[in-house]
Amino acid sequence: MLSNYPLSEVEKAFQRESGVEKITTLIPYLMVDNFPKLGLITACRFLEWVSENPQGVISLPTGKTPEYFIKWTQYLLENWDTKKGKETREKYGLGAVKKPYLKDLTFVQIDEFYPISSKQKNSFFDYVNKFYLEGFGLSKEKAILINSDEIPLAGGKHFKEVFPDLKVDLSLRFRDPINNLEKIQQESIYKIDHWCGQYEQKIRDAGGIGFFLGGIGPDGHIAFNTRGSHLFSTTRLTETNFETQAVAAGDLGGIEVSANRLVITIGLDTIVYNPNAVGIIIAAGEAKAQIVKDSLETPLDNVYPATVLQKLKNGRFYLTKGAAVRLTDSVDAYYRQGDWTWEKTERSIIDLCKRIKKYGHRLKMEDLKADKYTAMIPGLSEETVNQVMQSTIAKLKRGTTQEKDEVLLHTGPHHDDISLGILPHITNQLHENSNEAHFSVLTSGFTAVTNTFVIDTLLQTKKLLDEGKIQMVKFEDFFEVGYKLKTDKDVYHFLTNVASEDLDERIRGLCHRVVRAVVDVFEVKSATKLRETINDIISILRNSYDGEKNPSKIQKIKGMIREFEEELVWAHFGVQVKNVHHLRLGFYTGDIFTEQPDKKRDVVPIVELFKKVNPTKISLTLDPEGSGPDTHYKVLQATAEAVRQWGEEKDLSKLRIIGYRNVWFKFEPHEANVIVPVSLGDMSVMEDSFSNCYLSQVNASFPSYSHNGKFSTVAKRTWVGQLDDIQLLLGKNYFYLHESAKVRSSHGLIFFKDMNVEEFLAHARELEKSIEGMLN
């Protein structure tokens, strides 16, 4: 119970508001409704602590997770004595607290990539200076920071001289160097190790960290203490694991960079050195739910680094409802609170099959009564299991029914989202000639294209121009109107050479499209100017550091490469370029904290698309609460608003909305109402189209933390896992003895949710609540 722990006044206020009565975890937690409120509780607790410790030592996180902590802290300090500010303070336990001043605090930087220049905008040193030292008005003189440019190395050299390829080989700690450069590197590594020891000593001399706030990674890392870190670890130069590298890829310009960067991080013992420290881990979204459960319900264990907070009486997790959803407390509350629903029956039966590894038809009454959740099913009998099986069979039947005379509009937040989510289902739809299909990607997706990919493509383009193999530039009207014409020909040329396995001609197809994009974006009027422009783009990208925000025109070129890739995928099925719509919504900017969708700029284009296509079915990603206001969430809300507006002038009572998920989240069986069988052939089509068409993604520069490779493999694994779950309920023989060849050939399953407009808007409204209370 949380009452066994010393709660602050702020924590008491949020605990009352949450309504959570029973807490059984080994580290106490507080739960809030949404991502902005996670920032509010953290800001209130921080300011409460600072008011009591004006000269204390603090350590605060970087990245996207603290966005609303930063915004709420600044808001409260600026509005301490205004009406709104007072109301917020009184509501959340700060009513009697004097306005704190932050200038005398000592700030400790948690971690940093190494080596990375402190001048780069994607260094944590830059983030800390911008958002904390300047943003909060903290003392720069007292701050304890990690500046890679200033860490002493052998002979007073800079890291670019000592590590010219920016790779640090830690095996030099233990082996003899084989040349003079390695001697300098070895001496430098020892000097960095010495510096880390001094850094640790500075923190301890200050009494240790008094207020620590950190996020948690998909592997459970806090700071850069990855899974397996010693519970008594201190500040050190160390390697990271794949999950951490995958998450860092977005900051550093690709896994190619993050896999080769080491990190300097404070240790787990650094965090808990001060026994009176307030140590808080914040987590938002269902993507973090499993690691949150493991970290809160496991005794001290180096496999789950955050368990170290068990050593602090003021150790806490602050969670959104999504992040807390798998905690035993939350599952108990799900079943015990409110009316019993059919969804609860389905979930409890399927989870029981998985937990005791027993097929549905073999479940006995004693199994059902022995399980604390199935025992709660009203009117429980052995027939209950059969009812759940029949309900699941009905979902499969819906997924194998051939659709006819539909106008289909499939949408995705990013390029490849639609394909990775429901390609086998779309294949079924496209086999029926009476269906008309349109596809729309709602953001430009430029952040997923590396500088290296663009440079390589432009160099190939120059070579082909030199060889006279891009003949269209010689047509006299090409630079006026010709560049806009025959885009279907680029696509057809490319795919013909996929079939003939001619890689050179495929590259020529891509380069044709890149020429069109450069002419369009840079308003090029001659072949000479085209060459100059290509050289300029290459020069800009070569002089950019990995992960640097590109100029807007280069962002647009990257986005147009992704758009070509999307056209290639759907052309597999004869879909023309005119039926693939690129909306490039304006909120998508590539900034660390992106803005919210604008009702005019971001919603009107979607409404116009609806009017133009007049779909009878719209598909979209229906993810649960993410780790904050991410692109999937924003696109969903913009689409929901567009549906509302369209519904004001058209009867949408017959419109169906298909909610799908892909590699980032998956539906549980009880959440979906349609199940689509996936054959090995379907999987091959998806794998082949992904590999052949998503050229910028094949090297998986920005992979899922769950797999070091292509997203198509992650999607396939998800489908196979979903089949395993349903086979455990229905039995394998249901599939391989089925009367339908489609079901017999199932080696994976896709789950999705088919809704009417009212159901969809209600669902979107529920998700919208996860972002209410935002500060603009």
Side-chain angles (χ1 to χ4, degrees):
M1 292 292 291
L2 198 54
S3 55
N4 299 336
Y5 294 86
L7 284 182
S8 76
E9 292 306 310
V10 164
E11 288 178 324
K12 285 176 186 172
F14 279 94
Q15 170 63 10
R16 283 193 296 273
E17 187 177 82
S18 75
V20 175
E21 296 167 6
K22 183 183 173 191
I23 289 185
T24 61
T25 51
L26 297 169
I27 302 167
Y29 64 89
L30 286 157
M31 191 165 72
V32 294
D33 287 341
N34 52 53
F35 185 54
K37 193 161 271 189
L38 187 65
L40 176 61
I41 181 176
T42 315
C44 289
R45 181 68 185 103
F46 172 63
L47 294 172
E48 179 183 44
W49 183 88
V50 173
S51 71
E52 296 163 3
N53 301 274
Q55 295 183 316
V57 180
I58 63 170
S59 204
L60 305 174
T62 52
K64 294 186 178 182
T65 306
E67 175 178 2
Y68 285 97
F69 161 68
I70 292 167
K71 288 181 175 176
W72 273 114
T73 300
Q74 290 172 331
Y75 174 84
L76 288 168
L77 288 171
E78 288 166 9
N79 294 275
W80 198 263
D81 293 317
T82 66
K83 184 170 180 285
K84 273 193 172 182
K86 281 181 180 174
E87 284 173 3
T88 304
R89 287 197 294 115
E90 282 164 15
K91 185 174 180 180
Y92 293 115
L94 288 173
V97 174
K98 281 188 178 176
K99 182 179 179 178
Y101 290 92
L102 280 57
K103 61 181 173 51
D104 293 326
L105 295 168
T106 297
F107 184 94
V108 173
Q109 187 175 336
I110 292 175
D111 48 23
E112 183 60 281
F113 301 112
Y114 189 87
I116 188 171
S117 171
S118 60
K119 297 177 184 67
Q120 290 186 199
K121 297 296 180 191
N122 58 348
S123 71
F124 293 155
F125 180 88
D126 182 83
Y127 184 108
V128 161
N129 274 273
K130 179 179 179 180
F131 292 110
Y132 293 134
L133 301 190
E134 293 168 20
F136 285 7
L138 301 177
S139 164
K140 291 192 178 185
E141 292 69 37
K142 294 180 77 171
I144 302 172
L145 303 177
I146 306 170
N147 184 336
S148 294
D149 290 312
E150 294 179 0
I151 296 174
L153 303 177
K157 295 178 185 293
H158 189 264
F159 66 69
K160 286 179 182 172
E161 299 172 87
V162 177
F163 307 108
D165 57 0
L166 302 181
K167 294 179 184 177
V168 183
D169 181 0
L170 290 185
S171 73
L172 283 165
R173 279 181 178 149
F174 315 111
R175 66 172 175 83
D176 289 335
I178 59 172
N179 55 39
N180 194 49
L181 179 61
E182 282 202 351
K183 276 185 189 173
I184 295 168
Q185 290 177 337
Q186 184 183 63
E187 186 184 338
S188 296
I189 290 168
Y190 292 151
K191 280 185 172 289
I192 298 168
D193 290 342
H194 179 70
W195 183 92
C196 288
Q198 291 178 311
Y199 192 86
E200 181 76 21
Q201 194 60 53
K202 281 183 194 172
I203 297 169
R204 296 191 179 214
D205 288 347
I209 296 166
F211 186 95
F212 173 84
L213 177 64
I216 187 166
D219 70 319
H221 73 250
I222 54 172
F224 274 125
N225 296 283
T226 55
R227 185 181 57 248
S229 295
H230 202 294
L231 291 171
F232 291 91
S233 55
T234 55
T235 304
R236 64 206 183 279
L237 174 69
T238 185
E239 296 171 333
T240 55
N241 55 14
F242 170 73
E243 294 99 321
T244 306
Q245 292 160 9
V247 171
D251 295 319
L252 293 178
I255 191 82
E256 303 88 346
V257 182
S258 59
N260 290 310
R261 278 292 186 284
L262 301 190
V263 293
I264 292 173
T265 180
I266 62 174
L268 295 174
D269 201 50
T270 320
I271 294 168
V272 299
Y273 172 74
N274 176 352
N276 297 312
V278 170
I280 299 168
I281 298 295
I282 50 176
E286 289 192 26
K288 296 284 175 72
Q290 188 58 46
I291 195 60
V292 163
K293 174 182 171 67
D294 293 334
S295 300
L296 286 177
E297 297 183 358
T298 306
L300 270 172
D301 193 328
N302 65 330
V303 175
Y304 301 112
T307 57
V308 77
L309 290 195
Q310 291 173 32
K311 294 182 178 184
L312 296 176
K313 65 178 183 288
N314 290 312
R316 299 282 188 274
F317 269 58
Y318 291 172
L319 307 170
T320 65
K321 283 183 175 176
V325 77
R326 292 198 182 180
L327 293 175
T328 302
D329 295 343
S330 297
V331 178
D332 279 351
Y334 165 80
Y335 283 111
R336 295 185 194 287
Q337 293 172 5
D339 296 335
W340 189 272
T341 60
W342 176 249
E343 185 184 86
K344 291 182 182 182
T345 299
E346 281 195 329
R347 178 177 173 179
S348 61
I349 295 287
I350 293 169
D351 284 354
L352 176 61
C353 290
K354 288 161 72 172
R355 192 159 45 247
I356 65 175
K357 294 184 169 54
K358 212 171 188 181
Y359 289 111
H361 63 274
R362 291 186 179 157
L363 287 178
K364 302 292 183 205
M365 200 61 192
E366 54 262 33
D367 296 321
L368 299 171
K369 286 181 175 174
D371 180 76
K372 66 176 176 177
Y373 300 135
T374 52
M376 297 166 66
I377 297 172
L380 178 66
S381 70
E382 288 193 13
E383 180 56 24
T384 305
V385 179
N386 187 49
Q387 289 168 349
V388 172
M389 291 168 73
Q390 291 306 315
S391 167
T392 305
I393 288 167
K395 295 178 186 183
L396 264 162
K397 196 169 182 182
R398 289 185 78 183
T400 52
T401 302
Q402 183 63 60
E403 297 161 272
K404 293 183 178 180
D405 300 310
E406 300 283 4
V407 179
L408 308 155
L409 174 58
H410 293 293
T411 73
H414 308 93
H415 306 83
D416 72 24
D417 274 333
I418 306 168
S419 172
L420 293 169
I422 50 171
L423 180 61
H425 177 59
I426 293 170
T427 307
N428 295 341
Q429 294 173 327
L430 294 176
H431 283 160
E432 170 53 52
N433 281 335
S434 67
N435 293 331
E436 177 188 329
H438 294 257
F439 299 86
S440 181
V441 178
L442 279 72
T443 70
S444 172
F446 56 79
T447 57
V449 183
T450 63
N451 290 352
T452 304
F453 181 85
V454 178
I455 291 168
D456 290 347
T457 303
L458 290 174
L459 289 172
Q460 292 277 4
T461 304
K462 273 175 62 179
K463 181 171 177 286
L464 290 167
L465 284 167
D466 288 345
E467 294 169 355
K469 290 183 178 174
I470 300 184
Q471 293 152 350
M472 62 185 181
V473 298
K474 294 174 184 170
F475 300 157
E476 59 183 63
D477 68 341
F478 177 74
F479 293 99
E480 280 68 50
V481 292
Y483 69 90
K484 297 177 183 175
L485 309 175
K486 296 190 176 180
T487 49
D488 280 301
K489 187 179 176 184
D490 299 340
V491 171
Y492 191 77
H493 176 93
F494 187 98
L495 292 181
T496 298
N497 290 290
V498 168
S500 64
E501 299 186 3
D502 189 333
L503 180 59
D504 290 342
E505 282 300 307
R506 262 187 282 172
I507 290 169
R508 191 158 80 96
L510 169 64
C511 293
H512 264 77
R513 182 55 70 89
V514 168
V515 165
R516 296 182 192 277
V518 172
V519 171
D520 184 5
V521 173
F522 288 88
E523 299 178 358
V524 174
K525 296 301 180 189
S526 70
T528 306
K529 188 63 179 171
L530 174 62
R531 171 175 291 283
E532 286 175 17
T533 305
I534 289 173
N535 284 333
D536 288 346
I537 297 169
I538 292 171
S539 177
I540 289 167
L541 292 177
R542 279 181 171 161
N543 290 309
S544 301
Y545 56 80
D546 291 307
E548 183 175 357
K549 186 179 176 182
N550 299 130
S552 61
K553 287 188 175 181
I554 294 180
Q555 287 180 343
K556 197 169 181 183
I557 294 289
K558 286 184 169 185
M560 291 168 89
I561 289 171
R562 297 237 62 199
E563 290 166 2
F564 178 55
E565 294 173 345
E566 195 72 14
E567 290 166 10
L568 290 172
V569 170
W570 303 118
H572 272 65
F573 308 97
V575 176
Q576 291 180 282
V577 168
K578 67 181 176 64
N579 280 25
V580 184
H581 311 272
H582 311 294
L583 291 199
R584 306 175 187 170
L585 297 186
F587 74 82
Y588 187 86
T589 59
D591 294 319
I592 186 160
F593 300 145
T594 58
E595 55 190 282
Q596 294 303 305
D598 176 84
K599 285 201 174 180
K600 189 169 185 183
R601 179 195 62 197
D602 298 316
V603 175
V604 169
I606 307 176
V607 177
E608 287 173 353
L609 179 64
F610 289 164
K611 290 177 183 176
K612 179 180 174 183
V613 172
N614 201 19
T616 57
K617 286 193 175 182
I618 298 170
S619 76
L620 42 78
T621 53
L622 196 72
D623 289 347
E625 177 201 318
S627 55
D630 54 17
T631 304
H632 282 220
Y633 166 82
K634 289 174 179 173
V635 164
L636 177 74
Q637 291 306 332
T639 307
E641 179 58 29
V643 169
R644 283 187 202 103
Q645 290 186 19
W646 192 34
E648 287 170 10
E649 55 183 84
K650 180 180 166 69
D651 176 13
L652 301 182
S653 57
K654 292 185 178 175
L655 178 69
R656 303 302 297 180
I657 309 286
I658 307 302
Y660 66 89
R661 294 181 182 168
N662 52 38
V663 296
W664 302 111
F665 297 99
K666 64 188 185 73
F667 281 115
E668 294 300 324
H670 64 274
E671 296 176 301
N673 59 10
V674 181
I675 299 176
V676 178
V678 181
S679 69
L680 285 173
D682 292 328
M683 291 182 195
S684 296
V685 169
M686 195 264 296
E687 282 271 23
D688 287 350
S689 61
F690 189 95
S691 300
N692 290 322
C693 302
Y694 292 119
L695 306 168
S696 65
Q697 306 305 299
V698 172
N699 291 334
S701 293
F702 304 97
S704 161
Y705 58 79
S706 66
H707 173 64
N708 188 1
K710 293 181 296 186
F711 282 129
S712 51
T713 308
V714 183
K716 196 163 71 170
R717 288 179 180 177
T718 300
W719 299 344
V720 171
Q722 289 174 172
L723 174 67
D724 289 344
D725 288 352
I726 299 302
Q727 280 186 337
L728 205 47
L729 176 69
L730 299 182
K732 289 183 180 179
N733 59 337
Y734 173 82
F735 289 88
Y736 66 74
L737 295 177
H738 200 277
E739 62 185 25
S740 159
K742 185 73 183 164
V743 177
R744 285 199 304 276
S745 66
S746 304
H747 291 283
L749 295 174
I750 290 173
F751 297 163
F752 63 79
K753 201 173 179 71
D754 183 329
M755 301 163 282
N756 63 29
V757 168
E758 254 177 57
E759 289 167 328
F760 164 62
L761 293 178
H763 191 91
R765 177 65 191 133
E766 277 304 302
L767 270 179
E768 196 175 13
K769 288 179 185 173
S770 77
I771 210 68
E772 276 182 349
M774 280 190 321
L775 286 161
N776 293 316

